[in-house]
Structure formats: C-alpha cells, structure tokens
Amino acid sequence: MDVKQLRALVTVAEVGSVTRAAELLHLVQPAVTRQIRTLEEELGVPLFQRTRQGMRPTDAGQIMVDRARRALSELERARAEVQPRSGQVTGIVTVGLLESTSDLLAEQLVATVGRAHPGVDLRLMTGYSGHLQQWLDEGDLDLTLLYNLDSTPSLNARPLVRERLWAVAPASAGLRPDNPVAFAEVAAHPLVMPASGHALRTLIDAAAARSDSTMGVTVQTNSMRVQKQLVLAGHGWTILPGVGIAEDVANGSLSAAPLCEPDVWRSIVLGTARYGRVPPAVAVVARALVGRITTAVSQEQWPSAELQSSEDAAADG
C-alpha cells in the first residue's frame, strides 16, 4: 500500500469514475485500475461496486476512503511544516466556525492570517456545534468554535464568549434590541425552529419548560439561513443568537429583541484536541481567531455578547 494507491482510491471515490480519476491524476486509465485492484488484492475485499452509474465504494471501501483521505491530509500537513519558507510559520490549518458566526469572523480571520502569516494555508469549515465537535474528534479540524461545552477527555474547551438568544420576527413586528421580549410572548406565535436534537433547540426547549410555555412549531430546519428566510416570508417567528441576525436587524429586513423571562444564553468556546503537539501554524491561527472575537465583542459588533474567561465559566457553572 503506497501513497499513489491511496490517492487513486480517494479520487475514484470522489468522482465515481476511473476515467475521470485518471485525468485528474494525470495517469492512463489502466494504471488507476491496476492501483485499485492491487489494493483490493492486498486487503482481500472489494473496495468498489462497478455499476452503470459509476464506481461506488463498498462498505469496506468507504472505510478505506475515509482513512486514506485523513492519511493524505496528514502527509500534506507534514510536508507544509517541514518545508518552511524564509523562516515563516507554515502549515495547513483547518478551522471550524459555527454557522451563526461565519459572517462576522470568516473574512477578517482570513485577512489577518494572510497578512501576518502568508505561509499558512488556512481552510475554513462551517457547521453546527455537534458536527464540528465530531470533526475535531476525528482529526478533520485543528481548532473549532463550539458552544455549551466543557473540556472533555478528547478536547480542551477555552471559554470565549457568553451571548443571549434573541426572538426574531418580520420587520413589521417591531421588535427592538432595547426592549427584551418574554419567552411566553414569543411562544404565542407560530415558530420556525432548529430541528430537534440540535444544540440550539435543546436550549430553547429548556427555556420553554422554565417559562411553562407550549411552542407551536410550524417547521423545523437545520439551517440558520433557512430559518431567517422563512421568517422573512411570514411563516412565523424564530429564536437565534444575536450574532446571526445583527446584519439583518441593521438593514431592517428583520426585527429582533433579546429573550427574557427567562433569559437564554449560550457560551462559545474554542475547542482544540487535548493530546498531541500543537503546530506553530495552529497556534498563530488560534490567536488570530481569539483576537478577532475579542475585537468584535469590544466594538459591539456582536449583539448582547460578553467576553468570558475560564474563571467566569466556572462561576456560571
């Protein structure tokens, strides 16, 4: 088993065709076919199903593809780290951003890292906290934002921000940032909610129980952008972090107000793997991300957010 075989395996799985994979790898088709067959013979199992729709990984093949993709990524990272350019910090760093924070953080993070550390290959992934934690545990992320999470045996969680959740409604509802709205009042409207099992939905369900409110959920979605689109279209109100609707409120497309009775907060942390060496490139990107968050909160670009230290988090707990 060698690197060329692993690249062939991953490429065929991604494009579903030996012919197309050969083009991308700058090889002749028989060479790619031979690499796949050699792997199958070595492992003693078929790695692909040959169908009219193309090459599809078998269950065993998918396991190998996932592992091979990770191995190739680690080799790429190692090559970037051991081939420094003029004393610069170099390396590949993959950062996870919560979807609600990406508009506020992504562009400035890219600009800061690109200006200060041009040798760093920065890669951004967005998702929900549960997915981001899974990707961090699996080694697909170097660091990520997560929420309502403490350190675990597999990761370190550094507290960064504590922020309120907001009621979000069409502009015609006239909600105002300086006039908090009671949870029971929000629950009296049709609601567009995060899907059950989503961490944000868990916070909202707990608040509903505390306020003895019954929510009339008209639709559930796993997309913050879809939540906002449905509110704009008049399908109901929703509940979101203030950072996710700051621009919409500023341009007048939505109205919003912090929740009260009860207040509902989430705590955002920086998650990193607990074990293993921290490459210099990961360290400088982590500092840049924390710096961008600190600036955003200090300049009130992040609605109803408070910077939080480890001591603050312990006191809240």
Side-chain angles (χ1 to χ4, degrees), residues 89 93 95 108-109 112-113 116-117 120 122 143 158 160 270 272 278-295:
V89 175
V93 182
V95 179
Q108 286 292 329
L109 178 63
T112 299
V113 173
H117 304 286
V120 172
L122 183 62
L143 63 154
R158 172 183 172 182
L160 296 176
L270 178 65
T272 54
V278 178
V282 173
V284 299
V285 171
R287 285 196 294 271
L289 179 57
V290 172
R292 172 56 190 150
I293 290 172
T294 300
T295 299

Side-chain angles (χ1 to χ4, degrees), residues 100-101 103-104 163 166 168 177 224 228 240-256 296 300-304:
S100 57
T101 68
D103 287 348
L104 181 64
E163 65 167 336
W166 289 47
V168 183
M224 182 188 72
K228 294 193 291 186
L240 286 169
V243 68
I245 45 88
E247 185 175 343
D248 305 277
V249 173
N251 65 29
S253 59
L254 293 171
S255 65
E300 299 184 351
Q301 299 169 346
W302 194 319
S304 63

Side-chain angles (χ1 to χ4, degrees), residues 204-285:
I204 295 168
D205 287 345
R210 293 202 304 275
S211 68
D212 198 24
S213 300
T214 300
M215 297 187 294
V217 178
T218 59
V219 64
Q220 301 181 55
T221 174
N222 66 349
S223 167
M224 182 188 72
R225 297 187 188 279
V226 172
Q227 282 179 255
K228 294 193 291 186
Q229 289 170 355
L230 293 174
V231 172
L232 277 168
H235 292 281
W237 291 21
T238 193
I239 296 173
L240 286 169
V243 68
I245 45 88
E247 185 175 343
D248 305 277
V249 173
N251 65 29
S253 59
L254 293 171
S255 65
L259 284 172
C260 66
E261 300 177 18
D263 296 354
V264 187
W265 296 80
R266 73 169 181 174
S267 296
I268 293 180
V269 304
L270 178 65
T272 54
R274 181 176 288 277
Y275 301 108
R277 161 183 169 274
V278 178
V282 173
V284 299
V285 171

Side-chain angles (χ1 to χ4, degrees), residues 11 22 33-34 49 86 116 137 153 155 191 194 246 250 261 309:
T11 306
T33 300
R34 183 168 58 255
Q49 296 174 336
S86 304
D137 288 341
L155 65 85
L191 293 175
E261 300 177 18
S309 66

